[in-house]
Amino acid sequence: MRYFSTRGAQETLSFEETVLTGLAPNGGLYIPESIPQLPEGWQSKWSEYSFMDLSVAVLSLFISSNEISQSELRALVEKSYKTFRHPEITPLQKLDDKTFILELFHGPTFAFKDVALQLLGNFFEFFLNRRNMRKAEGERQEKLTVVGATSGDTGSAAIYGLRNKANISIFILHPKGRVSPIQEAQMTTVTDANVHNLAVKGTFDDCQDIVKSLFADQQFNKKHRLGAVNSINWARILAQTVYYFLSYFHLRKQIATSAPSQSLDDVEIQYVVPTGNFGDILAGYYAKRMGLPIGKLVVATNSNDILARFWKSGTYEKIDSQPSGNNATAPAEGASDGKQAVGGVKETLSPAMDILVSSNFERLLYYLAEEGLESTSQDPTERRRQACAALDGWMKKVKSDGRVEVPTKVLELARRDFLAERVSDQQTLETIKYYFKAEPSYVADPHTAVGLSAAQTISATNPPSTVQVVLSTAHPAKFSEAVTRALETESKFDFERDVLPEEFKGLLERKRNVIDVEAAEVDLVKHVIEQYAGNDEGEGGARQSV
Ligand SMILES: *Cc1c(COP(=O)(O)O)cnc(C)c1O
């Protein structure tokens, strides 16, 4: 299997090159040359498979065996998921006959990003080791310097995915004092020598700008071989397809036991996904395209609702130019005369979904372009070229005009597989409360609550045979402020007793590993990387300043 860029497809890459490259040089995202179909008899053969078995079965359809053999893949998968606390890795919980929760937060940092980043770290290590083993004695070893900015969530999952990996150093920038105490502690209490936390005096945007200029600095980039772990990396999408398969089998078993008279083939399984950068739900789309018989995928957004607006109007637009009715987007804080503040990202109770544009949406747009442009060419290469060209045009328009309107046919195709719903902070809080008071009681984190709220709204128009699976993307203890606020009037609720995991106790007091960066300046950060990259042997955990 080879991969090409959504914005121009002549050159193709192996899986290894795709994973190590991340973003294509022409700005596009890599996608597989074809979407493999499920093998004959998968439904019976895979039905008793574990998460690991399914990972091997699904991933090997996308990775040529001469790149990674089945036994190597199995070893990588087992190493990645033995860090999870739950034997099923991503268990399915029943809330009521029509609603199930797919818990994705049983990994080391208690959020769904672990599912992908645990595996990505092991892929990186595997590829580098293999390259280095093939080198002659005395030849320079290949190393990777991963650099990223975080407002909290991705940083800790990336650090836990890459800690203690050979030939990899990781530098994560966070805005000093502006991430939640638990998230800061999760990142900075990792004391492996290859992990470097940079607390930058500045905002998250400052951190992101610094990272961007590091990548743009060709000399620096080449010297240190910078790598990214952001959500556009193909391996992350691929890893996330697995829990759609696992939950499909788990759900069928649960229905077969609880309602034996119901014919499973009549049940329509709808997946509801709290969405930011569109990676999690895109994995579901691939599963569906491979042949997993699931119904609609529901995009659940918070008030950063570019995707919900796209599915309403067919216009992909950074800033809502037509706020109207009671569904109107409230102006961002600090905005005057009804216009939104520059930047436009709104702070919500579900911060991991606070985005302006959804980077992985580009991958879906490619498929919509390919199918929706009704090319007259029979030649697949020519059809692909036309789809890439159309997509490239759309993305350029988003960049220059802040918006693009797709043809009606493309919007219709998007609506065939997806529904979309926007959820306010108020609805998020009410939903946390509703499910806490329900029987059985369930404490949802605010991101999961966005999914649950969207599921409730949409269920009103669902056919009666629909069953909803809501993806739970974080443990409630990670977002204690929102959860406590929603449940403060509930006398039966006790955060420490009901929510707080053992692993979080004492975390705030543990030894920290942070380098303070006294100003948001690229050169200061470069200096830190120069000092530590490729020089990670020895004791970590020291607190320093530059
Ligand atoms: C990243 C994240 C999301 C959004 O996932 P995408 O793949 O970016 O759509 C939702 N919830 C939590 C807790 C996250 O960390």
Side-chain angles (χ1 to χ4, degrees):
M1 175 71 80
R2 309 235 0 131
Y3 292 84
F4 67 92
S5 161
T6 48
R7 297 202 197 170
Q10 269 172 348
E11 195 199 9
T12 64
L13 269 60
S14 68
F15 178 74
E16 173 173 344
E17 290 162 338
T18 302
V19 171
L20 289 175
T21 310
L23 188 71
N26 62 13
L29 308 190
Y30 289 111
I31 54 175
E33 280 203 300
S34 61
I35 299 178
Q37 296 304 293
L38 295 174
E40 193 83 25
W42 68 275
Q43 207 150 6
S44 51
K45 188 158 171 244
W46 292 5
S47 68
E48 299 300 322
Y49 273 17
S50 67
F51 187 98
M52 325 291 188
D53 299 333
L54 282 171
S55 294
V56 176
V58 174
L59 269 60
S60 60
L61 299 174
F62 289 89
I63 307 171
S64 308
S65 59
N66 57 12
E67 278 199 68
I68 304 180
S69 71
Q70 290 255 337
S71 62
E72 287 168 330
L73 188 56
R74 176 162 291 276
L76 286 166
V77 161
E78 284 181 355
K79 188 174 175 194
S80 302
Y81 298 109
K82 73 166 195 261
T83 59
F84 278 59
R85 295 175 303 277
H86 198 285
E88 289 169 2
I89 313 297
T90 56
L92 190 69
Q93 310 283 0
K94 181 173 172 175
L95 293 188
D96 59 51
D97 285 343
K98 298 264 168 205
T99 321
F100 293 77
I101 288 263
L102 174 54
E103 291 184 343
L104 305 177
F105 56 71
H106 295 282
T109 74
F110 292 78
F112 103 97
K113 290 187 174 67
D114 288 327
V115 178
L117 283 163
Q118 285 293 306
L119 184 65
L120 182 64
N122 286 317
F123 275 140
F124 279 162
E125 186 180 53
F126 174 81
F127 293 138
L128 287 175
N129 277 347
R130 187 164 64 184
R131 287 172 177 219
N132 287 331
M133 257 162 46
R134 288 173 182 158
K135 293 206 187 292
E137 210 173 311
E139 212 181 328
R140 222 181 113 108
Q141 298 275 295
E142 281 192 45
K143 298 193 176 199
L144 190 68
T145 306
V146 170
V147 185
T150 188
S151 54
D153 298 283
T154 316
S156 50
I159 286 170
Y160 274 80
L162 294 175
R163 66 188 294 182
N164 201 22
K165 296 271 181 268
N167 298 312
I168 302 173
S169 331
I170 173 165
F171 295 82
I172 295 292
L173 283 62
H174 70 265
K176 188 177 168 70
R178 295 184 194 221
V179 295
S180 82
I182 278 289
Q183 290 182 335
E184 188 183 334
Q186 275 189 317
M187 292 192 283
T188 59
T189 54
V190 177
T191 55
D192 298 70
N194 74 327
V195 172
H196 309 280
N197 283 288
L198 282 68
V200 178
K201 214 172 236 174
T203 63
F204 170 62
D205 287 333
D206 293 333
C207 294
Q208 216 165 16
D209 287 343
I210 293 175
V211 170
K212 275 190 199 151
S213 26
L214 291 175
F215 275 90
D217 182 336
Q218 288 194 7
Q219 209 184 347
F220 188 84
N221 189 335
K222 204 163 157 220
K223 179 171 171 204
H224 294 287
R225 175 144 202 186
L226 298 189
V229 289
N230 41 22
S231 72
I232 52 94
N233 195 299
W234 169 251
R236 288 185 58 176
I237 308 294
L238 194 50
Q240 291 165 2
T241 57
V242 176
Y243 44 73
Y244 287 91
F245 289 90
L246 186 70
S247 59
Y248 169 81
F249 288 118
H250 283 176
L251 184 65
R252 285 174 69 93
K253 273 186 213 126
Q254 291 212 19
I255 295 174
T257 4
S258 64
S261 59
Q262 177 140 25
S263 161
L264 285 171
D265 296 326
D266 296 339
V267 175
E268 175 161 324
I269 309 176
Q270 183 175 78
Y271 281 87
V272 186
V273 189
T275 295
N277 269 323
F278 205 74
D280 203 2
I281 195 165
L282 182 73
Y285 176 76
Y286 276 105
K288 189 171 174 167
R289 290 280 306 262
M290 290 169 75
L292 187 68
I294 58 181
K296 288 235 162 62
L297 295 155
V298 180
V299 180
T301 79
N302 63 26
S303 48
N304 294 290
D305 61 348
I306 181 166
L307 292 171
R309 286 185 279 113
F310 171 80
W311 261 276
K312 271 210 175 70
S313 66
T315 300
Y316 189 61
E317 180 173 40
K318 282 190 193 166
I319 311 277
D320 191 359
S321 61
Q322 298 176 309
S324 61
N326 49 18
N327 217 9
T329 331
E333 217 177 306
S336 54
D337 61 76
K339 280 209 194 103
Q340 290 178 329
V342 184
V345 181
K346 289 169 219 154
E347 271 184 41
T348 71
L349 294 174
S350 41
M353 291 151 56
D354 288 349
I355 46 89
L356 201 56
V357 293
S358 293
S359 43
N360 274 298
F361 184 58
E362 172 162 348
R363 285 190 165 109
L364 176 67
L365 274 178
Y366 171 85
Y367 293 110
L368 299 178
E370 189 187 57
E371 196 177 342
L373 294 179
E374 294 170 328
S375 164
T376 50
S377 172
Q378 296 301 311
D379 175 16
T381 316
E382 175 55 20
R383 290 173 63 97
R384 189 186 299 165
R385 196 196 61 73
Q386 290 174 357
C388 287
L391 180 77
D392 190 42
W394 294 344
M395 297 322 287
K396 283 195 173 122
K397 269 196 109 165
V398 173
K399 191 155 191 213
S400 61
D401 308 352
R403 68 198 295 272
V404 65
E405 193 179 342
V406 301
T408 313
K409 171 80 191 185
V410 167
L411 178 60
E412 279 168 11
L413 285 172
R415 287 178 176 161
R416 182 188 65 191
D417 292 323
F418 293 88
L419 296 166
E421 196 63 38
R422 167 192 189 271
V423 175
S424 68
D425 274 355
Q426 190 53 38
Q427 288 170 303
T428 305
L429 293 171
E430 281 162 13
T431 306
I432 294 174
K433 202 164 171 164
Y434 176 90
Y435 280 99
F436 174 73
K437 292 169 91 161
E439 190 55 52
S441 173
Y442 191 87
V443 182
D445 103 286
H447 304 81
T448 308
V450 167
L452 283 165
S453 174
Q456 271 182 341
T457 308
I458 278 172
S459 68
T461 52
N462 275 340
S465 60
T466 312
V467 171
Q468 294 177 310
V469 176
V470 179
L471 274 56
S472 173
T473 52
H475 189 285
K478 268 201 103 157
F479 297 93
S480 55
E481 266 178 48
V483 173
T484 315
R485 201 166 125 195
L487 301 179
E488 65 194 352
T489 55
E490 298 300 312
S491 57
K492 279 201 218 125
F493 179 69
D494 179 335
F495 183 79
E496 289 216 1
R497 185 196 61 206
D498 298 343
V499 180
L500 195 68
E502 273 308 310
E503 288 85 344
F504 283 15
K505 295 181 183 157
L507 189 66
L508 296 175
E509 284 78 49
R510 292 234 300 268
K511 187 180 166 193
R512 303 299 176 105
N513 165 26
V514 198
I515 301 165
D516 277 311
V517 179
E518 296 298 341
E521 285 169 22
V522 171
D523 285 339
L524 291 178
V525 173
K526 270 190 184 168
H527 180 73
V528 174
I529 297 176
E530 292 281 356
Q531 204 177 346
Y532 292 98
N535 189 20
D536 286 329
E537 291 79 25
E539 179 69 15
R543 177 182 273 274
Q544 326 237 345
S545 283
V546 290

